Amino acid sequence: MGDLTVRHERRAFPRVRVRIDSLVHTPEGQVRGQTLDLSAGGAFVTTARTVAVGTTVRLTMHRGDAKNPLVLDAEVVRLGGTREGRFPGLGLRFVGLTELEATLLQAMLSSAA
């Protein structure tokens, strides 16, 4: 019998590929970026500047001209870099979502899927 390798997905929430203009508000100021993947638990945002893992940030995702942006608190949980073949940016985990924020986030995910 040959080797059978099973790779388990560690993510608690399914990801959706998106392209959303975003701002990451850090303790050092704001950084423009683009959210490339999104889930109910977090996001990956491309940025030109990195922020230390463990830093609390606020992510503002633009939802179009007719809607207010969605602003969520998050923690930086990983850094993406070109050495790993990834876009440079920040892996974020959302923290302290209110019921309204979770509902608005779910609506964004549903419309992007």
Side-chain angles (χ1 to χ4, degrees), residues 58-78:
R58 181 162 282 173
L59 175 64
T60 300
M61 292 183 286
H62 299 282
R63 302 187 306 145
D65 292 336
K67 298 180 180 178
N68 290 332
L70 181 57
V71 181
L72 304 173
D73 290 327
E75 176 186 2
V76 178
V77 293
R78 78 172 175 85

Side-chain angles (χ1 to χ4, degrees), residues 5-102:
T5 303
V6 177
R7 184 171 178 216
H8 294 282
E9 180 67 42
R10 296 182 319 175
R11 297 181 187 279
F13 303 100
R15 291 180 286 175
V16 175
R17 298 270 182 228
V18 295
R19 286 194 168 277
I20 302 169
D21 290 332
S22 302
L23 287 174
V24 180
H25 305 269
T26 75
E28 291 80 32
Q30 69 183 23
V31 181
R32 291 196 180 280
Q34 192 169 66
T35 300
L36 294 185
D37 78 41
L38 184 64
S39 78
F44 182 79
V45 183
T46 61
T47 60
R49 189 172 76 208
T50 61
V51 179
V53 170
T55 302
T56 300
V57 298
R58 181 162 282 173
L59 175 64
T60 300
M61 292 183 286
H62 299 282
R63 302 187 306 145
D65 292 336
K67 298 180 180 178
N68 290 332
L70 181 57
V71 181
L72 304 173
D73 290 327
E75 176 186 2
V76 178
V77 293
R78 78 172 175 85
L79 303 177
T82 53
R83 281 185 287 152
E84 297 87 21
R86 300 178 177 142
F87 289 102
L90 308 172
L92 303 176
R93 178 178 56 88
F94 298 134
V95 294
L97 293 182
T98 66
E99 189 174 324
L100 176 60
E101 290 168 339

